[in-house]
Amino acid sequence: MFRINFAVTTFDSKIYVIGGEGLKGAIIQAVEAYDPVTDRWKEVGLLPKPRRNHATNIINGSLWSCGGSSSSLEAQSTDELVWEENSLFVFYLRL
């Protein structure tokens, strides 16, 4: 799947790609894992809502993702920036 602005981390010899933007700016909800032993990708979960430009890490065997945005709207200047209610985003997936 083509994507940009995603988060990526490794765990247990797999590469995890979380969210991002697909074709035509569609924001992605999928969490996928690449296994280099089998040379295959597998969808392993979904974010509660699509996310891009976020951070991720593995803590105690859980994949944590936070920050970023779920909107395709972008501010053109700092005067247009608005802090949305519930803009702090934290998600975790037990691996």
Side-chain angles (χ1 to χ4, degrees):
M1 170 190 300
F2 168 83
R3 67 173 79 185
I4 59 173
N5 300 322
F6 54 87
V8 65
T9 192
T10 60
F11 178 72
D12 197 25
S13 300
K14 293 182 178 74
I15 301 169
Y16 290 84
V17 175
I18 302 96
E21 284 179 70
L23 296 173
K24 299 183 182 178
I27 302 174
I28 298 169
Q29 194 169 2
V31 178
E32 296 175 315
Y34 174 72
D35 185 340
V37 173
T38 63
D39 191 27
R40 295 196 186 270
W41 285 94
K42 178 181 179 183
E43 188 171 296
V44 294
L46 293 173
L47 296 168
K49 60 183 180 177
R51 209 78 191 155
R52 65 176 178 171
N53 297 321
H54 53 291
T56 193
N57 205 341
I58 303 293
I59 302 171
N60 295 326
S62 293
L63 186 150
W64 289 81
S65 187
C66 62
S69 65
S70 61
S71 171
S72 61
L73 299 176
E74 297 292 335
Q76 299 299 312
S77 72
T78 54
D79 294 336
E80 297 176 36
L81 294 177
V82 176
W83 185 265
E84 297 175 347
E85 184 179 350
N86 299 321
S87 61
L88 176 62
F89 170 82
V90 177
F91 161 79
Y92 81 95
L93 175 69
R94 185 77 181 151
L95 300 175

